Amino acid sequence: MKTQKKSPFSVLANEFLENTLDQLVKDYSIVQVYYKKEKKSTQSHILVQVYKYADVVKLQAKKWVAEFREQYQVYIYFIDYSRIDYQFSKGHPFIEYHCHQSSLIYQHEESSSPLVIERGWKKYHKKFNQYEDSFHHDHEIRRVQIERLISEDSYNSIFTSFEKLIEYDLEYLEELYTGNRTSDINLNQRINNLLIYIPELKSYFVKKNSHQYFITELFAKAKKAIEGDDLIYDTEMYESLRIIEDSLFTFIEARFYELKHLIKKQYGKIYKVDQDVFPIKEYPNDEILDKAIERILTFTELEQIYLFHQTTYGEVKTYYLLLIGSNVNNEKLKSITQSLKSRFGDQYGFLLLGHDRYWIQMNLYQYQSFFVFIMQTKHLMYSSDQYHPEPHWQMPHHPQHNELYFHCKNTLESVVQFYKLLEGEKENYQGISNLFSLFFLSFCRTYILVKTFYLPNYLTSEALWQLCIYANKDIYKFNYLFEQFYTNPFSFADYNMSVHHSLAKIDTEKVNQMKMIVEKLMNELKEVVIGGQLLDDFELDLIAEKTDHPIVYTN
């Protein structure tokens, strides 16, 4: 009886993978197959040398390639015969390591000139040095060109040159991690493809959506400006682009080191790029905070949660949390806050801000000073992934109170309307509650902008007041006004931000309480805006003309 021939892929100890590769050599012109298993990792690598380049493209796109990687941590690379031969002649370190004689598990019987590397480090190291030096030489030329363009204020060309340099770095990372270079793909696709091998890259690119990144949008904007013969003045982004490029350069250096080490010491300890770069900081345990975060995560999928402030007044402790994720809108925040309140009662409070990472990136020109303090490792309480990127900070950043004039004007006008109603027909207070609520909302947002360079969304009144306390703890001195109010002032303000078809049951005493709050808070706002000289005389005169009322002038 004839003995069945043993599969050359049985060494893989995976029947599914073995059968797949057996079928592969029947259906395609496979020249050689190499196999590497990492000693101190569950990962293994299979390099398949294919005769035709067209087959490389077709095979690399097969679903089972991704399935093997995800289910078994088996990374499969396809390289065509002519390219692998060319890369070997150049001394490509990826090829030198993976195509070693000890890794060969299959070779086509009729292969005329198979590639089997037997040389040791002594014979190869000159080739390695030449290959690495070639990268450094071309990289340095590109960096020098960017610095020259910066010195010449060639704004648009700086961005296009940064794009070419980052593209160059990513192409090299492709070469060093896969032995190949993907052609005819854009920057977004190249980054996404490399995440398979270098998940740490996520730490350096802010996403616009699941497929696109902020920097590609920035580069496209520069190209459009060039086509329209316009200029793009976004010099604050230069430093962020330098940081990205420096990081890519570090990854390349680390990969060269890793491959050099592996070639010299087959199956040696693999150097990890993120080793000692992303330290895990330990925080003191806070049982309430831990339980609160658990509950928050049942409502929505989040990327990160930052604890950026805490206050304790009397018996109430309030946690200030920034939630970063998609679709964390005001209604969602309100639902989460109500759930936390029902779970923890009145002894603990939670101020929740929610933003999408891309929204933060696009609004840095206004709000960077606010977010750069919050989004620090020491404040991070939860992260769904260790590689979420920081925003590409603008450097240098000069915080400005954008549109403060309009916010102050709207706040003052709401005060004037409030007083005009009071001075009208005696004790006809229909609408006074709505104007009071409008003033409170406008005051809080303007005050927060003045103090923190951040304009919050239309949050609940209580949340806005908590942000005012965060912006300036001294404003808590006005809390006694709310405690003396005849009902919960925050619920009252929220309720009256809508129109209700009913007569206002407001007497003079209640109106006087509102009047006291308006006067005290308005004087506080005037002090920080006028006393801090945040608006010039011309702007102040314009406000005074359009809101001609004593509250504008008196203290």
Side-chain angles (χ1 to χ4, degrees):
M1 183 177 178
K2 189 176 180 180
T3 305
Q4 187 175 2
K5 188 176 181 180
K6 187 177 180 181
S7 168
F9 307 116
S10 57
V11 67
L12 302 176
N14 184 314
E15 187 177 355
F16 183 29
L17 182 55
E18 178 184 336
N19 293 337
T20 302
L21 291 175
D22 277 330
Q23 190 63 43
L24 194 68
V25 298
K26 294 175 183 176
D27 297 340
Y28 295 90
S29 299
I30 306 299
V31 182
Q32 291 171 310
V33 178
Y34 303 89
Y35 172 65
K36 289 279 190 185
K37 182 168 178 60
E38 297 179 8
K39 261 189 173 181
K40 297 188 178 182
S41 168
T42 56
Q43 291 184 3
S44 54
H45 306 266
I46 295 174
L47 189 152
V48 181
Q49 186 185 167
V50 185
Y51 191 75
K52 299 177 182 177
Y53 174 73
D55 289 341
V56 169
V57 178
K58 189 186 299 182
L59 288 168
Q60 199 70 59
K62 294 286 185 182
K63 287 184 177 180
W64 55 263
V65 173
E67 289 171 359
F68 283 135
R69 184 176 64 248
E70 292 165 6
Q71 294 181 26
Y72 307 114
Q73 288 196 290
V74 177
Y75 290 73
I76 303 177
Y77 316 92
F78 296 94
I79 305 180
D80 65 283
Y81 174 82
S82 58
R83 181 167 180 78
I84 209 170
D85 187 57
Y86 170 70
Q87 296 289 41
F88 170 71
S89 68
K90 285 179 61 181
H92 197 303
F94 181 91
I95 302 301
E96 189 74 19
Y97 173 63
H98 282 280
C99 297
H100 194 269
Q101 184 182 34
S102 60
S103 305
L104 184 66
I105 59 172
Y106 169 82
Q107 181 173 302
H108 194 277
E109 295 175 355
E110 299 178 5
S111 178
S112 57
S113 54
L115 176 63
V116 179
I117 299 174
E118 299 180 82
R119 64 189 176 193
W121 174 252
K122 287 185 177 180
K123 290 186 177 181
Y124 167 68
H125 78 278
K126 286 185 179 179
K127 287 273 189 181
F128 178 88
N129 292 339
Q130 289 171 359
Y131 189 91
E132 187 175 17
D133 289 344
S134 175
F135 161 75
H136 284 289
H137 176 266
D138 293 347
H139 181 273
E140 184 61 22
I141 289 174
R142 287 168 166 81
R143 282 301 297 260
V144 170
Q145 181 188 24
I146 289 174
E147 296 306 321
R148 178 177 59 78
L149 291 170
I150 290 174
S151 67
E152 295 172 354
D153 293 332
S154 301
Y155 299 104
N156 295 356
S157 298
I158 293 167
F159 286 105
T160 55
S161 295
F162 259 121
E163 180 183 22
K164 290 176 183 176
L165 179 55
I166 288 173
E167 181 85 19
Y168 175 77
D169 289 343
L170 292 171
E171 286 178 353
Y172 247 93
L173 283 171
E174 271 190 312
E175 290 275 9
L176 294 173
Y177 276 93
T178 70
N180 220 334
R181 181 178 298 184
T182 312
S183 60
D184 301 326
I185 64 171
N186 60 38
L187 198 58
N188 289 309
Q189 292 172 300
R190 200 174 295 281
I191 295 169
N192 285 326
N193 288 349
L194 277 167
L195 293 179
I196 294 169
Y197 311 100
I198 322 169
E200 300 95 322
L201 280 181
K202 287 189 286 186
S203 303
Y204 300 98
F205 297 97
V206 171
K207 280 193 169 186
K208 178 181 180 180
N209 52 45
S210 59
H211 302 294
Q212 295 177 296
Y213 294 88
F214 166 77
I215 67 161
T216 60
E217 192 173 49
L218 182 66
F219 294 147
K221 184 179 174 183
K223 289 177 182 175
K224 189 174 180 180
I226 292 172
E227 291 174 2
D229 202 22
D230 296 323
L231 287 177
I232 173 173
Y233 298 100
D234 205 348
T235 57
E236 298 87 355
M237 290 306 303
Y238 293 167
E239 188 60 28
S240 283
L241 293 173
R242 277 199 187 95
I243 290 171
I244 292 172
E245 201 284 314
D246 286 345
S247 301
L248 295 177
F249 180 81
T250 301
F251 279 117
I252 293 170
E253 289 284 271
R255 182 59 172 168
F256 270 123
Y257 176 89
E258 179 182 31
L259 288 170
K260 179 179 180 179
H261 179 78
L262 290 172
I263 293 166
K264 291 175 72 174
K265 308 283 185 182
Q266 290 284 323
Y267 310 117
K269 179 182 177 182
I270 293 182
Y271 173 81
K272 295 294 183 184
V273 173
D274 59 339
Q275 185 176 335
D276 299 323
V277 177
F278 303 101
I280 298 174
K281 184 177 178 63
E282 296 198 7
Y283 300 91
N285 290 330
D286 186 323
E287 186 178 354
I288 297 298
L289 181 59
D290 291 343
K291 289 180 178 178
I293 290 174
E294 285 180 14
R295 176 157 288 210
I296 290 169
L297 293 173
T298 64
F299 277 80
T300 184
E301 290 185 11
L302 295 173
E303 294 178 10
Q304 291 175 320
I305 299 176
Y306 289 90
L307 172 69
F308 62 95
H309 190 57
Q310 296 181 61
T311 61
T312 302
Y313 292 105
E315 296 181 353
V316 181
K317 182 175 184 178
T318 302
Y319 298 90
Y320 289 68
L321 301 172
L322 171 64
L323 315 183
I324 297 181
S326 301
N327 301 317
V328 192
N329 53 40
N330 287 349
E331 290 303 314
K332 179 80 72 176
L333 293 177
K334 191 181 297 183
S335 299
I336 297 172
T337 303
Q338 290 171 348
S339 177
L340 293 173
K341 188 175 182 64
S342 66
R343 170 68 177 82
F344 298 104
D346 295 330
Q347 191 176 355
Y348 297 96
F350 297 88
L351 180 281
L352 305 181
L353 298 180
H355 288 291
D356 174 81
R357 191 179 302 275
Y358 179 71
W359 183 93
I360 294 173
Q361 177 68 64
M362 294 302 293
N363 289 276
L364 286 184
Y365 70 99
Q366 286 182 301
Y367 308 142
Q368 175 163 310
S369 297
F370 180 76
F371 287 111
V372 76
F373 170 77
I374 294 175
M375 298 176 69
Q376 299 184 38
T377 304
K378 63 183 179 181
H379 298 146
L380 184 63
M381 293 292 109
Y382 165 81
S383 185
S384 63
D385 191 313
Q386 65 174 319
Y387 302 127
H388 287 307
E390 278 191 359
H392 306 300
W393 304 117
Q394 295 183 351
M395 291 172 271
H397 177 74
H398 304 290
Q400 298 179 27
H401 291 102
N402 294 306
E403 299 184 345
L404 178 59
Y405 164 78
F406 297 103
H407 295 296
C408 286
K409 177 176 176 292
N410 290 337
T411 305
L412 285 165
E413 286 179 345
S414 68
V415 174
V416 171
Q417 290 298 318
F418 177 84
Y419 275 95
K420 281 183 178 179
L421 191 56
L422 287 184
E423 295 164 358
E425 190 177 339
K426 189 175 182 180
E427 295 188 5
N428 179 9
Y429 299 131
Q430 183 70 22
I432 199 75
S433 301
N434 303 90
L435 286 172
F436 172 79
S437 302
L438 176 63
F439 159 75
F440 187 76
L441 172 71
S442 185
F443 163 81
C444 288
R445 297 181 79 237
T446 305
Y447 190 82
I448 293 163
L449 175 63
V450 169
K451 288 291 188 179
T452 68
F453 298 96
Y454 171 68
L455 187 68
N457 292 331
Y458 294 96
L459 305 172
T460 65
S461 298
E462 185 171 13
L464 287 171
W465 182 246
Q466 288 172 330
L467 268 180
C468 287
I469 294 172
Y470 166 72
N472 178 18
K473 64 180 180 180
D474 290 339
I475 203 173
Y476 186 80
K477 65 189 176 186
F478 296 120
N479 239 49
Y480 77 94
L481 296 171
F482 302 133
E483 293 169 358
Q484 293 174 359
F485 204 70
Y486 72 96
T487 186
N488 183 312
F490 304 119
S491 300
F492 176 84
D494 290 338
Y495 176 79
N496 285 290
M497 282 307 296
S498 302
V499 174
H500 304 285
H501 293 283
S502 60
L503 292 175
K505 298 178 181 179
I506 305 292
D507 56 30
T508 302
E509 182 183 351
K510 294 172 183 176
V511 169
N512 286 336
Q513 290 178 343
M514 294 184 210
K515 185 178 177 182
M516 179 65 71
I517 292 174
V518 171
E519 287 180 356
K520 294 289 186 182
L521 296 184
M522 197 63 239
N523 287 334
E524 175 70 14
L525 182 59
K526 285 162 58 182
E527 184 178 334
V528 298
V529 173
I530 298 173
Q533 297 182 327
L534 300 179
L535 295 177
D536 59 34
D537 293 339
F538 175 74
E539 291 171 318
L540 289 171
D541 288 342
L542 279 177
I543 292 176
E545 286 175 13
K546 295 181 180 180
T547 54
D548 189 16
H549 194 277
I551 190 69
V552 177
Y553 304 101
T554 59
N555 289 315

